[in-house]
Amino acid sequence: MTEQELLRRESLAKLRELGIDPYPAEMFDVTAFSSDITANYQEEILEDGTKNRLNYHAVSLAGRIMASREAGKAMFMNLQDAHGRIQLYLRRDDFLQGEEAPLFDLAIKKLLDLGDYVGVKGFAFRTKTGEVSIHVQEFKFLAKSLRPLPVVKKDADGNIYDAFTDPELRYRMRYVDLTVNTEFRQIFIKRTKLIKTMRNYLDDLGLLEVETPILQPIHGGAAARPFTTHHNTLDMKLYLRIANELYLKRLIVAGFDGVYEFAKMFRNEGMDRTHNPEFTALEFYVAYKDYNWMMDITEKMLEKVARAIHEAGGSTAQVGENTIEFAGPYRRLTMFDAIHEYTGLNVESADESELRSYCKKEHIELDATMGKAKLIDEIFGAKVEGHLIQPTFLIDYPMEMSPLTKKHRSKPGLVERFELFVNGKEVANAYSELNDPIDQRERFEEQLRLAARGDEEAMAMDEDFLRALEYGMPPTAGIGFGIDRLAMMFTGQVSIQEVLFFPQMRPEV
RNA sequence: GAUCUCGUAGCUCAGCCGGUAGAGCACUUGACUUUUAAUCAAGGAGUCAUGGGUUCGAAUCCCAUCGAGAUCACCA
């Protein structure tokens, strides 16, 4: 243990010797928050020049002591509660009566440490230097802190000194990060606002919020490597879901005409600043709709989200240098037109060997198993994706890449699919859902052929899902949103770790 | 998985053409009854990520391992 930790444990023991419980069980009645008092405190100057305090004559607040300044027989502290900070003013004379006599000199002056949770009662006033403060009349230890927090100081101009910035420590000890770097709390508050706004919007549309299995015997609905686990009683392999799509569609078969789920997904793949092994998706499915309807709904929903999060209610979000406008309509661009626009290639008429030689020329990595559809996807990823800064619906994908999507109503070889790109990143993926069970079976069989060729991410045949489709699924539109990526965009963050409370980390030694 | 950079006191960092460690804040003791990055005086605190090597001698040079970040690959 470090010197400071040992000293804090000694303080803890001494408090107990004084009969002060450092971890009292009874509740502490909080009647006010720091931010309300600093914002609303009022006083008047009387004719004789004395001050008359107009409100907060008796308040009770609780939080952590984050700074302490002794000034002779007086003391100033900064108390941090969930809403902000307020200065406390304590005078020795106020604590000299009766049994409480040792409280100031011993307990408060010597045994209180930065980071301790305390409760105080007193009245608000304004100090000589103009700061709204609490003149403390009663002081109670609520929880002792046995480790020193990093001390971050800010001067009058707002310059920050000794900021707690090491990303490893911040992510491993988010409790320290958010205690000390309180501005990061806003990211998570905005994230929750994002989810709530979406939930309210879908509820207003009449959709039903549902929960579907995380442990799945067949990992379906997306192309990704899964986490595997084992159920002892059933003695069977189970997968953590990589998607919930096939289960939500079963519920459409069941007769719910609109369902949604905010779902943690798990994918056993690389980690970087936009990927965490577990992440959150919103998927929703609505019967009797198609992907055109879904584009309209997406525009409306994201505009609502933007306005809910934007401080001034605007419909934009700032990501680095880019101001992103979330009010629709968004540009709708076919996959083929997009590639033509940014490369001059006509992929529709080109054959596989032409695409291959283009990729070779542009140093786009390939392998022999890639078919034309996959090559198109690679070219798109390398040449187009990064340019799509303002929200753009990329529509009408080649069928081979989209085994769960309905064939295009008028364009042979394509499917009714769109992905929404914002700031050069995919944030949503939507289809007119394939509901023809015979077509769906053929698509699964094609996936099996890809798997046999060595494609690790090809989808598995799901006989139960096919059985459900055979009973009949109405025409349906469905979409999945990457909530973490949206959260990054709406909070201006470039790393997914900044929008996850507890990003995945390697174990500490 | 590959490459590059980084890991020194509780925090933020300096020291790195080799001679067993420094600063600010935090901490301890003292002074100060309206201070606020409080101030003033004195003091304590480190297995320099871990293990090995080179050397008379390693925080410093070399190798390996662990952890982190960035870029790339896979993916959302």
Side-chain angles (χ1 to χ4, degrees):
Chain A
M1 246 185 281
T2 66
E3 183 192 25
Q4 293 194 48
E5 286 175 279
L6 290 168
L7 284 164
R8 283 174 181 236
R9 272 159 213 259
E10 279 173 31
S11 301
L12 180 79
K14 284 181 190 159
L15 280 177
R16 289 212 162 99
E17 282 170 28
L18 287 172
I20 296 169
D21 184 352
Y23 301 104
E26 67 275 14
M27 66 179 235
F28 183 84
D29 192 24
V30 173
T31 65
F33 297 129
S34 61
S35 53
D36 292 338
I37 298 172
T38 52
N40 301 319
Y41 171 73
Q42 288 185 314
E43 62 187 16
E44 58 182 3
I45 312 287
L46 299 177
E47 280 179 24
D48 64 1
T50 58
K51 284 192 212 166
N52 186 31
R53 301 185 298 271
L54 294 173
N55 53 5
Y56 298 118
H57 296 293
V59 294
S60 165
L61 53 179
R64 272 191 209 272
I65 298 299
M66 298 300 284
S68 166
R69 296 174 290 283
E70 278 182 56
K73 303 286 182 289
M75 248 182 130
F76 294 88
M77 302 178 192
N78 292 342
L79 179 84
Q80 175 172 296
D81 65 14
H83 304 270
R85 285 190 183 195
I86 191 165
Q87 177 168 266
L88 307 180
Y89 173 60
L90 290 83
R91 278 194 322 196
R92 182 172 188 272
D93 295 350
D94 295 335
F95 292 88
L96 287 181
Q97 306 91 350
E99 290 179 2
E100 288 196 333
L103 186 64
F104 187 82
D105 280 340
L106 271 175
I108 298 177
K109 218 166 163 177
K110 298 288 179 197
L111 305 181
L112 178 75
D113 291 303
L114 294 189
D116 287 355
Y117 272 99
V118 304
V120 297
K121 292 180 182 175
F123 58 87
F125 74 111
R126 197 182 287 278
T127 64
K128 271 204 297 210
T129 51
E131 179 152 350
V132 175
S133 307
I134 302 297
H135 187 124
V136 174
Q137 295 162 306
E138 290 179 44
F139 187 97
K140 187 173 165 65
F141 283 86
L142 296 182
K144 193 100 192 78
S145 167
L146 295 181
R147 290 173 184 260
L149 288 167
V151 176
V152 180
K153 296 203 175 191
K154 209 190 267 186
D155 69 15
D157 299 327
N159 299 313
I160 294 173
Y161 299 84
D162 300 326
F164 179 59
T165 51
D166 184 328
E168 179 172 4
L169 297 179
R170 287 185 50 232
Y171 301 151
R172 285 196 197 281
M173 299 190 289
R174 189 65 94 177
Y175 36 89
V176 172
D177 180 34
L178 293 176
T179 294
V180 155
N181 299 323
T182 51
E183 67 277 13
F184 289 130
R185 293 179 188 180
Q186 290 308 315
I187 292 172
F188 296 99
I189 291 168
K190 285 177 177 175
R191 182 185 166 113
T192 296
K193 219 174 249 181
L194 159 79
I195 290 171
K196 272 194 163 170
T197 304
M198 291 181 130
R199 177 173 277 129
N200 288 341
Y201 185 77
L202 297 176
D203 287 342
D204 289 347
L205 276 182
L207 274 61
L208 183 70
E209 182 166 14
V210 299
E211 292 179 277
T212 64
I214 291 173
L215 292 174
Q216 302 179 349
I218 298 170
H219 58 278
R225 295 208 299 275
F227 286 94
T228 309
T229 186
H230 183 263
H231 190 283
N232 291 339
T233 303
L234 298 176
D235 189 21
M236 70 183 286
K237 201 180 199 182
L238 285 169
Y239 302 97
L240 273 62
R241 66 179 168 202
I242 58 172
N244 56 354
E245 169 161 356
L246 302 185
Y247 284 93
L248 291 173
K249 286 188 197 172
R250 284 172 171 95
L251 295 178
I252 297 294
V253 172
F256 296 106
D257 57 9
V259 291
Y260 72 91
E261 181 176 19
F262 286 95
K264 270 284 178 76
M265 309 291 187
F266 306 86
R267 297 190 184 175
N268 206 341
E269 285 168 354
M271 293 161 57
D272 61 27
R273 67 187 203 295
T274 56
H275 298 86
N276 195 67
E278 61 181 282
F279 64 100
T280 304
L282 162 65
E283 296 221 356
F284 65 88
Y285 293 81
V286 182
Y288 314 119
K289 309 297 187 189
D290 64 9
Y291 78 145
N292 292 313
W293 177 87
M294 191 59 91
M295 283 187 259
D296 296 340
I297 287 292
T298 299
E299 288 167 350
K300 287 179 192 154
M301 184 164 72
L302 290 184
E303 180 178 350
K304 270 198 194 305
V305 168
R307 291 187 188 283
I309 291 174
H310 194 286
E311 276 84 359
S315 58
T316 60
Q318 191 68 31
V319 186
E321 294 175 352
N322 297 322
T323 302
I324 301 197
E325 175 58 72
F326 281 98
Y330 304 159
R331 189 174 184 205
R332 299 181 184 191
L333 188 61
T334 69
M335 170 71 102
F336 290 170
D337 286 347
I339 292 175
H340 186 258
E341 182 172 325
Y342 288 96
T343 68
L345 272 182
N346 186 339
V347 291
E348 192 171 5
S349 62
D351 62 20
E352 197 174 315
S353 65
E354 282 175 67
L355 296 179
R356 277 187 179 278
S357 61
Y358 175 83
C359 287
K360 208 162 284 175
K361 195 178 73 186
E362 295 293 326
H363 307 291
I364 297 169
E365 282 195 35
L366 317 162
D367 64 61
T369 66
M370 289 177 176
K372 183 176 171 184
K374 188 75 184 162
L375 292 171
I376 290 171
D377 191 39
E378 292 292 323
I379 293 168
F380 172 79
K383 293 289 170 186
V384 183
E385 192 173 18
H387 296 289
L388 305 179
I389 302 302
Q390 293 301 322
T392 304
F393 291 119
L394 200 80
I395 63 176
D396 299 345
Y397 284 63
M399 186 167 74
E400 298 88 325
M401 293 156 54
S402 312
L404 303 169
T405 312
K406 188 176 278 198
K407 283 174 181 156
H408 197 282
R409 63 196 72 185
S410 60
K411 299 177 180 171
L414 301 186
V415 290
E416 295 203 351
R417 171 180 180 183
F418 73 80
E419 290 188 317
L420 175 61
F421 287 84
V422 182
N423 200 41
K425 290 269 184 313
E426 184 201 336
V427 297
N429 182 19
Y431 317 138
S432 294
E433 301 297 337
L434 176 54
N435 64 340
D436 174 343
I438 293 167
D439 190 358
Q440 182 66 77
R441 183 174 291 279
E442 287 168 5
R443 305 280 193 97
F444 275 139
E445 281 164 354
E446 172 61 20
Q447 290 293 306
L448 294 182
R449 281 191 287 277
L450 289 175
R453 259 168 62 178
D455 186 342
E456 282 183 47
E457 292 171 345
M459 283 184 203
M461 175 76 74
D462 187 331
E463 284 291 349
D464 178 71
F465 175 66
L466 286 169
R467 178 167 61 189
L469 289 190
E470 284 165 10
Y471 278 101
M473 183 172 91
T476 297
I479 191 165
F481 285 91
I483 293 298
D484 310 283
R485 289 192 173 177
L486 281 176
M488 287 163 66
M489 279 166 205
F490 283 113
T491 59
Q493 297 301 315
V494 296
S495 167
I496 196 171
Q497 296 167 108
E498 296 292 351
V499 303
L500 299 170
F501 275 127
F502 305 106
Q504 189 60 238
M505 301 289 277
R506 286 192 170 79
E508 290 180 74
V509 181

